[in-house]
């Protein structure tokens, strides 16, 4: 990153307090999100194997559909934080409302596409004849909650931009509890089966969206911000989100290629790969929480025109990312005797898993810095560069990963390819932060 004098001890402590205050609640909210699917799986699993298989397929489709639009949170966080830094809370909330209206429009489009195409989507994902009816039922009902899910993403971005990560944590916890109770009541109490699980999730997501809207609307009224849809503002939000959409799709392509290669390696390798992906996701939550803090803090500093503060905050968060990555790597190595038996008793899977798991541990410090720099550049609104950098990363990773089955090395070689992917991301992000071109000040980029 651009050279800046090292902050004083007082400055470091100030940055540390900000990072902790934003990152800890963000981590809790991130962890709560996958618990929705876990609760559904636990409850539906007792209905039977075909219902659980159907849920797995439908949940994968829904997760993919929603994750594509995660830019609603990222772009909104950066834009709102800039206006907070500029001291214009009215414009900040107005910007957030544009993101929420965009979320509603996108949600309506997704519903319109999902309802008629549900059978085809389920078939494409390879559902068996016995699991397909359950998958179609769950997918069609749950798709009705997609606008609420997208509103939650956008509203979460609004609150993060306002430097509030506690409210999303409380809403996530409340939503998780409501989802669990509703699933139990509707699946077993009312006897709706897998349809009850889907309706329970839809109701919980809608309730979460309602709480978020209440909070945002209350803030809008307090500061005199308009709640009406503004075509220009919605269009600007969409334009800001397109580069982040490209980045997200490229990252999803990396994960899909890795999974496809692991499947070609054989059943043992794909089983071990899925276990590693679950661990990778867990460590990503921890690192992403700091990155989320970075989005909010960097956006605020740049909105206030404080490039020195932005550079110092970036430097400190990179240190946090590096230390966190080292600690996570050590934890993976130390906990592997406890972690591996939780997922498999197959000795073949264990033997394949262990060396690849060590690669994951080695890569964690790199991942720690990558996640932070990614968050810093998102907070700066540097989406176009992030899109280009991720396309370059995909272009480097894809041929290397696809050669693994031919060259040999199995799953361990595949995860070294994933390590290469993270290294390329590190180089591209580090070059950008060193250049200082991301340090664009003002209420808007």
């Amino acid at each position: 990153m651009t050279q800046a004098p090292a902050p004083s001890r007082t400055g470091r402590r100030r940055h540390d307090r900000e990072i902790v205050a934003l990152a800890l609640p963000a981590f809790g909210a991130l962890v709560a999100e996958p618990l929705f699917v876990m609760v559904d799986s636990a409850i539906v699993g007792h209905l039977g194997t075909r219902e659980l298989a159907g849920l797995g397929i439908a949940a994968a489709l829904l997760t993919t559909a929603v994750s594509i639009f995660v830019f609603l949170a990222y772009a909104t966080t950066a834009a709102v934080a800039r206006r907070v830094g500029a001291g214009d809370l009215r414009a900040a909330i107005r910007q957030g409302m544009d993101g929420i209206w965009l979320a509603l429009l996108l949600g309506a489009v997704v519903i319109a596409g999902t309802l008629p195409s549900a059978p085809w989507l389920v078939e494409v994902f390879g559902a068996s004849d016995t699991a397909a009816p359950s998958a179609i039922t769950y997918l069609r009902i749950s798709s009705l909650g997609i606008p609420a899910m997208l509103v939650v993403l956008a509203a979460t971005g609004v609150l993060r931009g306002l430097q509030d990560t506690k409210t999303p944590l409380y809403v996530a916890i409340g939503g998780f509890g409501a989802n669990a109770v509703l699933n139990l009541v509707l699946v077993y109490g009312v006897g709706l089966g897998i349809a009850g699980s889907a309706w329970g999730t839809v109701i919980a997501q809608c309730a979460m969206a309602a709480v978020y809207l209440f909070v945002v609307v209350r803030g809008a009224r307090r500061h005199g911000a308009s709640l009406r849809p503004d075509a220009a503002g919605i269009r600007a939000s969409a334009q800001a989100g397109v580069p982040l959409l490209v980045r997200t799709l490229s990252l999803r392509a990396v994960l899909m290629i890795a999974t496809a290669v692991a499947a070609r390696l054989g059943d043992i390798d794909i089983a071990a790969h899925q276990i590693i992906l679950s661990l990778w996701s867990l460590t990503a939550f921890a690192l992403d929480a700091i990155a989320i803090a970075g989005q909010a803090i960097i956006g605020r500093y740049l909105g206030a025109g404080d490039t020195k503060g932005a550079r110092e905050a970036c430097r400190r968060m990179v240190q946090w990312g590096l230390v966190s990555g080292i600690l996570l790597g050590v934890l993976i190595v130390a906990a592997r005797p406890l972690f591996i038996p939780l997922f498999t008793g197959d000795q073949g899977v264990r033997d394949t898993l262990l060396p690849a798991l060590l690669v994951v541990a080695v890569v964690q410090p790199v991942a720690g810095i990558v996640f932070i720099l990614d968050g810093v550049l998102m907070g700066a609104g540097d989406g176009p560069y992030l899109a280009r950098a991720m396309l370059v990363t995909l272009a480097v990773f894809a041929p290397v990963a696809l050669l693994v089955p031919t060259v040999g090395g199995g799953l361990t070689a595949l995860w070294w390819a994933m390590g290469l992917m993270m290294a390329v991301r590190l180089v591209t992000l580090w070059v950008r932060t060193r250049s200082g071109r991301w340090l664009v000040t003002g209420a808007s980029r």
Side-chain angles (χ1 to χ4, degrees):
M1 70 197 70
T2 51
Q3 294 294 329
S8 65
R9 180 176 297 180
T10 301
R12 289 195 300 270
R13 287 177 178 172
R14 184 182 73 254
H15 291 313
D16 289 346
R17 285 194 297 270
E18 279 192 314
I19 294 168
V20 170
L22 291 170
L24 282 181
F27 176 70
L30 288 170
V31 170
E33 291 173 9
L35 292 179
F36 273 81
V37 176
M38 290 179 64
V39 166
D40 287 4
S41 299
I43 293 173
V44 171
H46 291 284
L47 292 174
T49 301
R50 63 183 180 183
E51 286 84 0
L52 184 58
L55 171 65
I57 293 167
L61 285 164
L62 287 165
T63 301
T64 300
V66 175
S67 65
I68 287 173
F69 298 110
V70 73
F71 70 83
L72 288 167
Y74 293 158
T76 305
T77 296
V80 171
R82 275 185 174 271
R83 285 159 177 77
V84 169
D88 192 346
L89 288 177
R90 179 179 178 180
I93 296 175
R94 175 64 258 180
Q95 179 74 41
M97 286 304 305
D98 291 336
I100 290 173
W101 280 112
L102 176 62
L104 286 170
L105 290 174
L106 291 173
V109 172
V110 175
I111 287 180
T114 303
L115 287 177
S117 64
W120 176 78
L121 290 170
V122 168
E123 182 181 355
V124 168
F125 260 63
S128 66
D129 292 339
T130 55
S134 295
I136 294 169
T137 297
Y138 191 93
L139 180 58
R140 278 180 166 160
I141 296 173
S142 293
S143 67
L144 300 176
I146 286 178
M149 296 179 196
L150 299 188
V151 166
V152 166
L153 283 177
T156 298
V158 175
L159 295 181
R160 288 174 181 170
L162 293 171
Q163 317 296 297
D164 176 11
T165 56
K166 291 183 178 178
T167 299
L169 172 62
Y170 300 148
V171 175
I173 292 173
F176 167 70
N179 183 59
V181 172
L182 286 167
N183 269 257
L184 285 171
V185 171
L186 295 176
V187 171
Y188 297 112
V190 181
L192 295 179
I194 193 170
S197 177
W199 280 116
T201 300
V202 169
I203 295 170
Q205 292 286 355
C206 289
M208 291 172 65
V211 172
Y212 273 119
L213 288 175
F214 172 79
V215 173
V216 174
V217 168
R218 184 179 60 184
R221 288 176 175 170
R222 182 185 303 139
H223 296 286
S226 174
L227 299 175
R228 295 179 180 178
D230 175 66
I234 294 172
R235 186 166 54 251
S237 294
Q239 289 172 346
V242 168
L244 295 180
L245 175 62
V246 172
R247 168 201 168 274
T248 300
L249 290 174
S250 300
L251 187 55
R252 295 292 298 183
V254 165
L255 297 175
M256 290 176 64
I257 290 171
T259 299
V261 170
R264 290 178 61 189
L265 294 175
D267 290 346
I268 289 178
D269 293 87
I270 187 62
H273 179 71
Q274 291 302 316
I275 294 171
I276 293 177
L277 278 181
S278 67
L279 178 64
W280 184 268
S281 298
L282 183 61
T283 59
F285 285 142
L287 298 174
D288 205 27
I290 307 174
I292 287 170
Q295 294 172 29
I297 293 170
I298 294 298
R300 193 190 74 232
Y301 273 119
L302 294 179
D306 186 357
T307 57
K308 180 176 181 292
R311 287 195 299 266
E312 290 180 352
C314 177
R315 179 193 296 272
R316 191 57 176 166
M317 281 182 285
V318 166
Q319 293 170 351
W320 271 74
L322 177 60
V323 172
S324 298
I326 292 172
L327 291 176
L328 286 171
V330 171
L331 183 61
I332 289 171
V333 174
R336 69 187 189 282
L338 300 174
F339 175 78
I340 294 176
L342 289 176
F343 285 86
T344 181
D346 187 310
Q347 190 59 47
V349 174
R350 291 186 180 189
D351 291 342
T352 301
L353 178 62
L354 183 57
L357 201 58
L358 294 177
V359 175
V360 173
V362 170
V363 172
Q364 287 307 299
V366 175
I369 299 175
V370 166
F371 272 74
I372 300 310
L373 294 181
D374 202 45
V376 165
L377 295 183
M378 281 187 192
D382 206 7
Y385 181 83
L386 289 172
R388 294 193 298 271
M390 199 61 225
L391 287 172
V392 169
T393 301
L394 176 60
V396 172
F397 168 78
V400 174
L402 293 172
L403 280 174
V404 168
T406 302
V407 175
L411 189 66
T412 302
L414 175 60
W415 275 92
W416 276 121
M418 290 288 285
L420 172 65
M421 179 270 295
M422 295 303 293
V424 174
R425 292 187 70 190
L426 175 62
V427 171
T428 57
L429 297 177
W430 187 266
V431 167
R432 186 63 168 184
T433 51
R434 288 279 295 184
S435 73
R437 294 177 182 175
W438 56 281
L439 291 165
V440 179
T441 59
S444 60
R445 186 179 172 91

